Amino acid sequence: MVVGAGITGASIAHHLALRGIPVTVVEQAPEPGAGATGRSGGMVRGYDPDPAVGELAVPSLAAYRDPARWASGQAPLRAVGAITVTDPADEPALIEAADRVNHGQAPSAYVVTGREEIMGVRLDDGAALVEPDAGWVPPLEVTRDWLGQAVTNGASLHFGVRVLGVEGCGGRPVVRTTAGDIRAEAVVAATGLWTARPPQGLRPSPPVRSRSIQISIVRREPPAAAHATFIDLRTGVYARPVDANHSLIGMPHLVWDSPFDSAYDPAHARATAQAVGIHLPWAAGAEQVSVVRAADGYGEHSGILAPTRVPHVWSVRGWNGGGVKTAPEAGRRIADTLFARAFTHDT
């Protein structure tokens, strides 16, 4: 059983179903991607300063580029380019990172220093790792595609079903839900920020906390040029194009233990526009079309799965806002792990 129909839960269900394993997906919301997935910026690239995340991000980017992996027959990647900006002193580390990215996919990543601007993004005296073949994906589109493929391969989806708790019975988990009890060979909880306040039996070790995420959609008026996605690791500010006339902008919102449905923070929205304006000068005075606030799960983990106290029950690690970037490969590896540990009776 997979608890949670966000992008990571959908990936896990898809990869389990590909292996011929009967999969039940339960989601408390009435539709997929109703949590952080539906409000994610969807930026994807091969590089991440966390080597463990980068190891997942490179093959994930390759999956997003491959039309053969999608039921729609079209790759979901919008390859507008991705730029990671950091301190010039980090140039040697960026060069090594570009080599790793290029080793895992078509070699196109490179490092620039001493440039004022690249791909519509000002670098503010920073060094940059440029990935021309990266960009962003629409997270809901990806999630629905994977769930559709899972159903085609025998999975069952149950929306509006809340998990009340999980107990061990005869060495296997029994999931108590609002629709009744379900006995499972194994359970994996991919519940995002709700992992911070899980039902009994789903608490991971180490714990996960929720943290606020807030983004704005701003209007990009001529003569403002199109631009690549970018993140500045020095400040955490980021942006990506939405369409020909709008961009998404964001900056870390360090409010911990934040409910998912908190009201948006106007002061933070204004500060975000000013901070992003260093890289996209037009953004500082751009019309704000909408502001979206949500939350996601954050935690320190050494692997992709965290154990719980119930046998054959695991929790997906908090991806610290990077779930979309890692979902294809994380889902595949989690499915492999579940198959080895639960479905071959290897405890």
Side-chain angles (χ1 to χ4, degrees), residues 211-216 235-239 248-254 267-276:
R211 200 184 88 181
S212 176
I213 295 175
Q214 181 170 291
I215 58 175
S216 300
T235 61
V237 300
Y238 56 91
L248 176 154
I249 62 174
M251 183 173 69
H253 194 220
L254 301 180
H268 184 265
R270 292 191 294 270
T272 298
Q274 291 300 314
V276 171

Side-chain angles (χ1 to χ4, degrees), residues 270-336:
R270 292 191 294 270
T272 298
Q274 291 300 314
V276 171
I278 294 173
H279 299 283
L280 305 174
W282 55 267
E287 177 190 352
Q288 180 179 285
V289 177
S290 64
V291 180
V292 176
R293 183 172 175 183
D296 205 352
Y298 283 70
E300 296 295 331
H301 298 280
S302 58
I304 56 178
L305 284 178
T308 71
R309 293 186 177 182
V310 180
H312 295 290
V313 178
W314 295 272
S315 178
V316 177
R317 63 163 283 179
W319 287 113
N320 300 352
V324 174
K325 184 166 60 175
T326 59
E329 182 66 6
R332 186 190 70 80
R333 294 192 186 188
I334 290 169
D336 285 347

Side-chain angles (χ1 to χ4, degrees), residues 117-195:
E117 179 180 311
I118 189 165
M119 300 181 75
V121 178
R122 292 193 177 181
L123 301 185
D124 188 34
D125 298 322
L129 173 57
V130 183
E131 300 179 56
D133 296 327
W136 64 279
V137 299
L140 282 178
E141 176 185 311
V142 169
T143 300
R144 290 169 177 153
D145 191 297
W146 274 330
L147 290 175
Q149 291 190 66
V151 169
T152 299
N153 288 304
S156 61
L157 309 181
H158 303 271
F159 295 100
V161 175
R162 186 163 59 91
V163 172
L164 305 175
V166 181
E167 304 170 4
C169 183
R172 294 293 169 176
V174 174
V175 184
R176 314 293 186 190
T177 80
T178 53
D181 294 351
I182 304 173
R183 186 176 177 85
E185 286 290 307
V187 176
V188 58
T191 51
L193 79 103
W194 286 278
T195 306

